[in-house]
Amino acid sequence: MMIYFEDVQVGSRHTSPSVQVTEAEILAFACAYDPQPMHVDRKAAERGPFKGIIASGWHTAALVMRLVADARPFGDTEVLGLGVEQLQWPTPVRPGDTIHSESEVVAARPSKSNPAYGIVKLSITTRNQKGEVVMIHSPSCWVPRRPPVSQ
Amino acid sequence: MMIYFEDVQVGSRHTSPSVQVTEAEILAFACAYDPQPMHVDRKAAERGPFKGIIASGWHTAALVMRLVADARPFGDTEVLGLGVEQLQWPTPVRPGDTIHSESEVVAARPSKSNPAYGIVKLSITTRNQKGEVVMIHSPSCWVPRRPPVSQ
């Protein structure tokens, strides 16, 4: 079901499914996109401040995108990001962690530049299996306005 | 060479190497982390507002992380993100695009919570081969303070 801007309600909440992150996936992502020792080198990571491998923050962000896409907060309407106002990684994601996200619609306004769209701002908190917050972010998304009914 | 917080100069700039993004990589990333039609379904994407496949914004962010890691703005000191104050994707990345990043140190202050670290804020602008801005973001990073010299 397509959801249009007019259907989005400020205050509505979604809880995503959860996903477990493996060490192999953390290493593969980091080798491709963030090949720093704390993400790819077990021995160096053990000597570092986190005492073991941690996921790249951008890997955490990618995993959260997958959780949000699977939660389908706008039904069949795609989640198209315009930007993110604030992004924090208070606790790192480690091999074996299971994370899930909770999102809330915090604002919705018509686009000034494109009358066919509205801009919906979400606040998303992602936690690990211990309830520790691993990521907070507030993305703003383009959501199409309902097309006028043909007469 | 390790770079410590005390070595970081506000106003210093780095230009990253550049990277070309293939359609295969855009599809692979999106299948794993953002499997929405605009990123994974050529036909649906052609009918959509961008008239073709675009990279997930989080793929763009991951590619930028790789560019920054390769540019090594802090030498052998790892780039450890605390968070990002503002992130925008003004223009999508498309198959075949070549992107590079320019970063500037815009602030540096000692950490209040951890005396062994400073917090360095960067402003990073990433452009495609036409000079169009594909991503802007301002990450804050932990950078270790220089250890006291033993007497």
Side-chain angles (χ1 to χ4, degrees):
Chain A
M1 194 180 72
M2 284 288 287
I3 288 186
Y4 293 102
F5 174 70
E6 287 75 7
D7 303 318
V8 173
Q9 299 205 332
V10 173
S12 65
R13 292 165 176 271
H14 280 81
T15 297
S16 80
S18 62
V19 66
Q20 189 176 34
V21 190
T22 64
E23 186 186 65
E25 186 183 345
I26 288 174
L27 295 173
F29 186 101
C31 286
Y33 298 112
D34 194 353
Q36 301 190 97
M38 62 184 156
H39 305 310
V40 300
D41 180 334
R42 278 193 206 104
K43 287 190 179 168
E46 276 166 21
R47 290 191 304 268
F50 298 105
K51 313 291 181 208
I53 290 273
I54 61 169
S56 170
W58 300 106
H59 188 191
T60 302
L63 290 161
V64 172
M65 179 67 230
R66 178 62 189 250
L67 291 174
V68 172
D70 288 350
R72 297 162 60 88
F74 307 137
D76 288 340
T77 302
E78 297 180 77
V79 180
L80 174 58
L82 174 63
V84 175
E85 242 172 64
Q86 194 194 38
L87 193 169
Q88 290 174 24
W89 295 289
T91 307
V93 170
R94 296 171 183 275
D97 277 0
T98 298
I99 63 172
H100 79 281
S101 297
E102 291 170 18
S103 70
E104 180 179 351
V105 174
V106 292
R109 64 171 177 83
S111 166
K112 289 172 193 157
S113 63
N114 189 335
Y117 284 84
I119 297 172
V120 175
K121 185 174 164 186
L122 302 170
S123 173
I124 304 180
T125 301
T126 303
R127 289 187 172 83
N128 65 20
Q129 69 282 0
K130 297 178 197 168
E132 296 164 331
V133 175
V134 297
M135 183 166 139
I136 297 171
H137 73 308
S138 293
S140 290
C141 306
W142 291 104
V143 178
R145 303 193 69 163
R146 187 182 302 282
V149 179
S150 307
Q151 298 292 325
Chain B
M1 195 180 72
M2 284 289 286
I3 288 185
Y4 293 103
F5 174 70
E6 287 75 6
D7 304 316
V8 173
Q9 298 205 332
V10 173
S12 65
R13 293 165 175 269
H14 280 82
T15 297
S16 79
S18 62
V19 66
Q20 188 175 32
V21 191
T22 65
E23 187 187 64
E25 186 183 344
I26 288 174
L27 295 173
F29 186 101
C31 285
Y33 299 112
D34 193 354
Q36 303 191 95
M38 62 183 156
H39 304 310
V40 299
D41 179 335
R42 276 193 209 106
K43 287 190 179 169
E46 276 165 22
R47 290 192 302 269
F50 298 106
K51 313 291 181 208
I53 291 272
I54 60 169
S56 169
W58 299 107
H59 188 191
T60 302
L63 290 162
V64 171
M65 181 66 230
R66 179 62 190 250
L67 292 174
V68 172
D70 288 350
R72 299 163 58 88
F74 306 138
D76 288 341
T77 302
E78 296 180 78
V79 180
L80 174 58
L82 175 62
V84 175
E85 244 173 62
Q86 193 193 39
L87 192 168
Q88 291 173 22
W89 295 288
T91 307
V93 169
R94 296 169 183 275
D97 278 0
T98 297
I99 64 173
H100 79 282
S101 297
E102 291 170 17
S103 70
E104 181 178 351
V105 175
V106 292
R109 63 171 178 82
S111 166
K112 288 171 193 157
S113 63
N114 188 334
Y117 284 84
I119 296 173
V120 174
K121 185 175 165 189
L122 302 170
S123 173
I124 303 180
T125 301
T126 303
R127 291 187 171 83
N128 65 19
Q129 70 282 359
K130 297 179 195 165
E132 296 164 332
V133 175
V134 298
M135 184 166 139
I136 297 171
H137 74 308
S138 293
S140 290
C141 304
W142 291 105
V143 178
R145 303 194 69 162
R146 187 182 302 282
V149 179
S150 307
Q151 298 292 326

